[in-house]
Amino acid sequence: MMFGYGDEWWMPLFYPVLLWVPFGPFLMAATGAWCARRPGPWPWLWTVLLPLVPVGVSATAMLLPRGQSPRTDDLVGYLLVYVLGITVLPWVLGYGITRLVRAVRARRGGAHG
């Protein structure tokens, strides 16, 4: 048996997965704003590295064979909620809102200055 009694070494890998649900959107929005404010490789690198463990572990658990293959609607739901809704959408909102605010401030400053 592959995951029998005593094979719980993999359980600590799920702690970041559980913490990603409440805190991940805020972290991704912050990295999106960071990427918009400071161009360079470090913000973009952290944008990829930050969700790597929680999203990678949960995707692996979703795709591992557990006696039956995952259903298509389960995979689509996982991608929509966990990957797009919790990880990508907050980053896009943080990036977009920061760029929009900076553009509006630059426009006002240029017109009145």
Side-chain angles (χ1 to χ4, degrees), residues 49-111:
L49 291 178
L50 190 64
L52 191 64
V53 170
V55 174
V57 168
S58 64
T60 303
M62 189 75 185
L63 295 173
L64 273 178
R66 297 174 305 228
Q68 61 184 6
S69 61
R71 295 179 12 199
T72 305
D73 56 344
D74 290 340
L75 291 175
V76 170
Y78 168 77
L79 286 174
L80 287 175
V81 173
Y82 202 78
V83 175
L84 292 177
I86 294 178
T87 305
V88 175
L89 181 63
W91 187 92
V92 170
L93 287 173
Y95 184 85
I97 290 170
T98 303
R99 294 286 298 208
L100 182 66
V101 167
R102 291 185 74 176
V104 167
R105 285 183 182 168
R107 181 187 235 175
R108 284 186 184 167

Side-chain angles (χ1 to χ4, degrees), residues 5-41:
Y5 183 75
D7 289 335
E8 288 86 15
W9 59 267
W10 50 270
M11 285 302 289
L13 293 174
F14 280 96
Y15 294 142
V17 174
L18 295 174
L19 291 173
W20 191 250
V21 174
F23 300 118
F26 297 107
L27 293 171
M28 290 308 292
T31 57
W34 187 26
C35 286
R37 298 185 107 203
R38 307 263 188 235

